[in-house]
Amino acid sequence: MDIEVSNLSKTYITVKALRSVSLSVDRGESVGLVGANGAGKTTLLHILMGFLPFDEGSVKILDKPSARLDAATKERIGFVAEETGLLPWATLMDMAELYKNLYPTWDEDMLDRFIDEWDIVTDKRMRSMSKGQKRLAELALCFSCNPEILVLDEPFVGLDAVMRFSVLSAMKTLNAQQRTTIFYSSHILSDIEKIAKRVIFIRGGKISLDEQIASLKSSVEETFIQNYGISADGLIDAGGSR
């Protein structure tokens, strides 16, 4: 099992961000995490990566406690945060040199393919690039590390429909051909079912639904609307409005 979360709770001062959350993700699964703003998605993913402490429960990734991930385990995980983590003064090729030294499974040819396919600028500093270009650069770097697990928090931020489709295709290929485990959140409900085989809804810090997409009686969007009791133009929609 690649991810194991059991009875996880996290409180920020007086706000209960997560309430007794339990879930597991097997090797090779592709799982979409869905919820409104403030539901606890980012908190869950950051705890999983060892970035945040938690109050109760246990969290493991690749059989290691998330709070004590060693370098060898981190080399097997690819993570992209909602806000870019790329160095503002660096170019894509500067970042590639850094990633190459950090990840023994680095694939230079894969990066070259993404640069060509996604038309990523290689000689501009990150601070001079558009939000979409920075996101593509970060995804290309992450995917080219050939990680066993991809943990992605809103990976499609700043991307238009064409580039979202291309990124989804790349994720689907990694999942199908290399059995890369993918655990990702997205506000764009229509994109969840393009790759995920399973969807987890989180609401008010609790899991309100954990189901194989093939078993849903309606689309992910319609199921979300029913689960949250809102209209399609309310809190969240298929087009990704926040």
PDB file of all heavy atoms in Angstrom, residues 38-50:
ATOM      1  N   GLY A  38     -11.234  25.216   1.673  1.00  0.00           N
ATOM      2  CA  GLY A  38     -11.283  25.079   3.122  1.00  0.00           C
ATOM      3  C   GLY A  38     -11.766  23.738   3.616  1.00  0.00           C
ATOM      4  O   GLY A  38     -11.909  23.532   4.829  1.00  0.00           O
ATOM      5  N   ALA A  39     -11.990  22.796   2.698  1.00  0.00           N
ATOM      6  CA  ALA A  39     -12.498  21.483   3.108  1.00  0.00           C
ATOM      7  C   ALA A  39     -11.435  20.635   3.797  1.00  0.00           C
ATOM      8  O   ALA A  39     -11.764  19.702   4.537  1.00  0.00           O
ATOM      9  CB  ALA A  39     -13.051  20.730   1.894  1.00  0.00           C
ATOM     10  N   GLY A  40     -10.150  20.945   3.539  1.00  0.00           N
ATOM     11  CA  GLY A  40      -9.072  20.172   4.170  1.00  0.00           C
ATOM     12  C   GLY A  40      -8.162  19.454   3.197  1.00  0.00           C
ATOM     13  O   GLY A  40      -7.263  18.724   3.608  1.00  0.00           O
ATOM     14  N   LYS A  41      -8.357  19.676   1.890  1.00  0.00           N
ATOM     15  CA  LYS A  41      -7.569  18.950   0.884  1.00  0.00           C
ATOM     16  C   LYS A  41      -6.075  19.258   0.991  1.00  0.00           C
ATOM     17  O   LYS A  41      -5.246  18.346   1.065  1.00  0.00           O
ATOM     18  CB  LYS A  41      -8.053  19.297  -0.536  1.00  0.00           C
ATOM     19  CG  LYS A  41      -9.518  19.057  -0.787  1.00  0.00           C
ATOM     20  CD  LYS A  41      -9.896  19.299  -2.235  1.00  0.00           C
ATOM     21  CE  LYS A  41      -9.571  20.694  -2.739  1.00  0.00           C
ATOM     22  NZ  LYS A  41     -10.261  21.764  -1.991  1.00  0.00           N
ATOM     23  N   THR A  42      -5.734  20.546   0.977  1.00  0.00           N
ATOM     24  CA  THR A  42      -4.327  20.933   1.022  1.00  0.00           C
ATOM     25  C   THR A  42      -3.691  20.527   2.343  1.00  0.00           C
ATOM     26  O   THR A  42      -2.543  20.062   2.377  1.00  0.00           O
ATOM     27  CB  THR A  42      -4.176  22.448   0.790  1.00  0.00           C
ATOM     28  OG1 THR A  42      -4.568  22.756  -0.557  1.00  0.00           O
ATOM     29  CG2 THR A  42      -2.734  22.898   0.989  1.00  0.00           C
ATOM     30  N   THR A  43      -4.415  20.674   3.433  1.00  0.00           N
ATOM     31  CA  THR A  43      -3.895  20.228   4.729  1.00  0.00           C
ATOM     32  C   THR A  43      -3.562  18.751   4.696  1.00  0.00           C
ATOM     33  O   THR A  43      -2.485  18.327   5.155  1.00  0.00           O
ATOM     34  CB  THR A  43      -4.924  20.519   5.839  1.00  0.00           C
ATOM     35  OG1 THR A  43      -5.104  21.930   5.961  1.00  0.00           O
ATOM     36  CG2 THR A  43      -4.453  19.967   7.176  1.00  0.00           C
ATOM     37  N   LEU A  44      -4.455  17.949   4.142  1.00  0.00           N
ATOM     38  CA  LEU A  44      -4.218  16.507   4.046  1.00  0.00           C
ATOM     39  C   LEU A  44      -2.970  16.203   3.219  1.00  0.00           C
ATOM     40  O   LEU A  44      -2.116  15.407   3.627  1.00  0.00           O
ATOM     41  CB  LEU A  44      -5.442  15.825   3.427  1.00  0.00           C
ATOM     42  CG  LEU A  44      -5.313  14.337   3.102  1.00  0.00           C
ATOM     43  CD1 LEU A  44      -4.980  13.530   4.350  1.00  0.00           C
ATOM     44  CD2 LEU A  44      -6.589  13.815   2.443  1.00  0.00           C
ATOM     45  N   LEU A  45      -2.840  16.847   2.067  1.00  0.00           N
ATOM     46  CA  LEU A  45      -1.701  16.573   1.198  1.00  0.00           C
ATOM     47  C   LEU A  45      -0.388  17.043   1.824  1.00  0.00           C
ATOM     48  O   LEU A  45       0.646  16.383   1.692  1.00  0.00           O
ATOM     49  CB  LEU A  45      -1.910  17.230  -0.171  1.00  0.00           C
ATOM     50  CG  LEU A  45      -3.085  16.700  -0.996  1.00  0.00           C
ATOM     51  CD1 LEU A  45      -3.179  17.424  -2.333  1.00  0.00           C
ATOM     52  CD2 LEU A  45      -2.986  15.196  -1.219  1.00  0.00           C
ATOM     53  N   HIS A  46      -0.421  18.166   2.524  1.00  0.00           N
ATOM     54  CA  HIS A  46       0.796  18.680   3.165  1.00  0.00           C
ATOM     55  C   HIS A  46       1.214  17.800   4.349  1.00  0.00           C
ATOM     56  O   HIS A  46       2.411  17.609   4.593  1.00  0.00           O
ATOM     57  CB  HIS A  46       0.594  20.125   3.591  1.00  0.00           C
ATOM     58  CG  HIS A  46       0.744  21.097   2.460  1.00  0.00           C
ATOM     59  ND1 HIS A  46       1.218  22.381   2.633  1.00  0.00           N
ATOM     60  CD2 HIS A  46       0.507  20.976   1.130  1.00  0.00           C
ATOM     61  CE1 HIS A  46       1.261  23.007   1.469  1.00  0.00           C
ATOM     62  NE2 HIS A  46       0.824  22.164   0.544  1.00  0.00           N
ATOM     63  N   ILE A  47       0.252  17.265   5.075  1.00  0.00           N
ATOM     64  CA  ILE A  47       0.585  16.314   6.142  1.00  0.00           C
ATOM     65  C   ILE A  47       1.177  15.051   5.547  1.00  0.00           C
ATOM     66  O   ILE A  47       2.165  14.494   6.051  1.00  0.00           O
ATOM     67  CB  ILE A  47      -0.667  15.995   6.985  1.00  0.00           C
ATOM     68  CG1 ILE A  47      -1.045  17.202   7.849  1.00  0.00           C
ATOM     69  CG2 ILE A  47      -0.430  14.768   7.867  1.00  0.00           C
ATOM     70  CD1 ILE A  47      -2.353  17.044   8.610  1.00  0.00           C
ATOM     71  N   LEU A  48       0.590  14.598   4.452  1.00  0.00           N
ATOM     72  CA  LEU A  48       1.090  13.399   3.780  1.00  0.00           C
ATOM     73  C   LEU A  48       2.553  13.551   3.371  1.00  0.00           C
ATOM     74  O   LEU A  48       3.338  12.603   3.457  1.00  0.00           O
ATOM     75  CB  LEU A  48       0.222  13.112   2.547  1.00  0.00           C
ATOM     76  CG  LEU A  48       0.546  11.865   1.730  1.00  0.00           C
ATOM     77  CD1 LEU A  48       0.399  10.607   2.575  1.00  0.00           C
ATOM     78  CD2 LEU A  48      -0.342  11.786   0.494  1.00  0.00           C
ATOM     79  N   MET A  49       2.917  14.763   2.943  1.00  0.00           N
ATOM     80  CA  MET A  49       4.291  15.013   2.521  1.00  0.00           C
ATOM     81  C   MET A  49       5.217  15.349   3.692  1.00  0.00           C
ATOM     82  O   MET A  49       6.417  15.572   3.500  1.00  0.00           O
ATOM     83  CB  MET A  49       4.316  16.166   1.514  1.00  0.00           C
ATOM     84  CG  MET A  49       3.660  15.833   0.181  1.00  0.00           C
ATOM     85  SD  MET A  49       4.428  14.413  -0.643  1.00  0.00           S
ATOM     86  CE  MET A  49       6.097  14.988  -0.847  1.00  0.00           C
ATOM     87  N   GLY A  50       4.695  15.408   4.897  1.00  0.00           N
ATOM     88  CA  GLY A  50       5.528  15.697   6.062  1.00  0.00           C
ATOM     89  C   GLY A  50       5.768  17.165   6.310  1.00  0.00           C
ATOM     90  O   GLY A  50       6.635  17.535   7.115  1.00  0.00           O
TER      91      GLY A  50
END
